[in-house]
Amino acid sequence: MRIACAQIIVPDDPADAIERCLRAVDEAAGSGARLIVLPEAALAPFGTDLRAAARENAAEFDARLTARAEELDVVVVAGSFVPADGDASEDRVLNRVIVRGRGTRVDYDKIHLFDAFGTRESATIAPGRALRTVDVDGLRIGLATCYDVRFAEQFQALADRGAQAVVLPAAWADGPGKAEQWRLLVRARALDATVHLIACDQAPPPVDPAPERGCGGSLVVSPLGEVRAELGREEGILLADFDAEEVAAVRRRLPVLAHRADLRA
């Protein structure tokens, strides 16, 4: 299966962001991709009014991405925000990854919130509680988001549920050492769970100083932690091809999932 990471700069205005995402989907589908991954917060970047975007723009974002994916016969993964119904704080939203197209409708709400490096995501975002997988062209794909990559057990749990690949939309804030950590963590999680890992970050806006929205560096990693393809900081479409047989072969040679000891006690 051919996959694409659409590393884009997400505009501040959700209406502009929707159009930018649709153009990226068109470009990726034109290159033969069957699974197209957009970044985390593709509807509206961090640092803007996420509550307003969730209330006023999320439904249109979902509907238009779904229609375009169905029209092009592809599956699209994209980061959105939706109201956190029933949350104790009515002001918070859910950091949601939506998977749409070819009759597929799956949502994943980010479990691990980025309360680190001086940022407190939990002030505006409510945490998700459930793991999610989706089947595309015979490949089972797990869903994760950005800061989740620091938690190996989530990726192993997705593998336990049959995932042969994991998609990881992100808005990986730049800073000292952060790009190196991003690349290291993505490779490590692929090895931990022996999965293909498709990590799609936002491209940073070309202004100085750039807002903390992404540092680029989207990459596709093999189940043995090999970088198959990657981008720099600029916008671009990253393409890669893979299949489930490679995962099965790696797991026969490196059965780390079967060898895990239960150390929780």
Side-chain angles (χ1 to χ4, degrees):
M1 180 174 64
R2 173 160 289 187
I3 64 92
C5 289
Q7 180 171 291
I8 61 172
I9 297 169
V10 179
D12 287 4
D13 183 344
D16 293 339
I18 292 170
E19 297 301 329
R20 181 69 191 91
C21 288
L22 292 172
R23 290 196 301 272
V25 168
D26 289 344
E27 183 179 352
S31 297
R34 297 282 282 168
L35 175 68
I36 301 167
V37 185
L38 291 156
E40 176 189 23
L43 170 64
F46 290 105
T48 62
D49 191 340
L50 305 183
R51 301 178 188 91
R55 291 192 306 267
E56 300 168 14
N57 305 102
E60 179 189 358
F61 184 59
D62 191 327
R64 294 188 66 189
L65 274 184
T66 299
R68 188 62 57 85
E70 295 291 354
E71 175 188 342
L72 297 172
D73 193 32
V74 297
V75 174
V76 175
V77 179
S80 186
F81 297 101
V82 297
D85 295 332
D87 184 61
S89 170
E90 295 182 358
D91 288 336
R92 295 202 297 181
V93 298
L94 291 167
N95 186 341
R96 175 164 290 179
V97 168
I98 62 173
V99 186
R100 301 291 187 264
R102 301 175 61 199
T104 299
R105 190 173 185 86
V106 174
D107 298 329
Y108 165 69
D109 297 327
K110 185 178 181 182
I111 292 173
H112 298 99
L113 301 183
F114 185 60
D115 288 1
F117 289 107
T119 297
R120 189 164 173 262
E121 187 177 5
S122 62
T124 54
I125 308 290
R129 302 295 182 190
L131 298 174
R132 291 285 185 266
T133 63
V134 60
D135 293 337
V136 180
D137 286 354
L139 192 72
R140 179 155 294 177
I141 298 169
L143 304 175
T145 308
C146 202
Y147 189 52
D148 287 335
V149 77
R150 293 187 182 272
F151 301 89
E153 62 272 20
Q154 179 167 344
F155 292 76
Q156 293 168 335
L158 289 168
D160 290 340
R161 287 160 173 76
Q164 298 144 312
V166 176
V167 295
L168 181 73
W172 193 264
D174 212 348
K178 290 291 295 298
E180 291 85 353
Q181 291 172 31
W182 163 253
R183 196 173 191 270
L184 173 64
L185 287 162
V186 171
R187 295 184 67 195
R189 295 299 83 84
L191 269 168
D192 291 335
T194 50
V195 291
H196 297 287
L197 216 155
I198 304 109
C200 185
D201 194 19
Q202 288 188 26
V207 295
D208 189 19
E212 293 187 355
R213 295 182 181 175
C215 61
S218 298
L219 66 163
V220 176
V221 178
S222 81
L224 285 174
E226 303 156 328
V227 177
R228 293 282 171 80
E230 63 184 319
L231 295 174
R233 293 174 63 84
E234 68 286 342
E235 288 190 293
I237 302 293
L238 182 66
L239 299 171
D241 298 296
F242 54 74
D243 60 43
E245 285 306 310
E246 182 179 359
V247 176
V250 167
R251 289 177 179 175
R252 287 192 294 270
R253 295 163 54 204
L254 182 66
V256 291
L257 293 169
H259 287 167
R260 280 176 297 165
D262 187 354
L263 304 176
R264 287 171 295 180

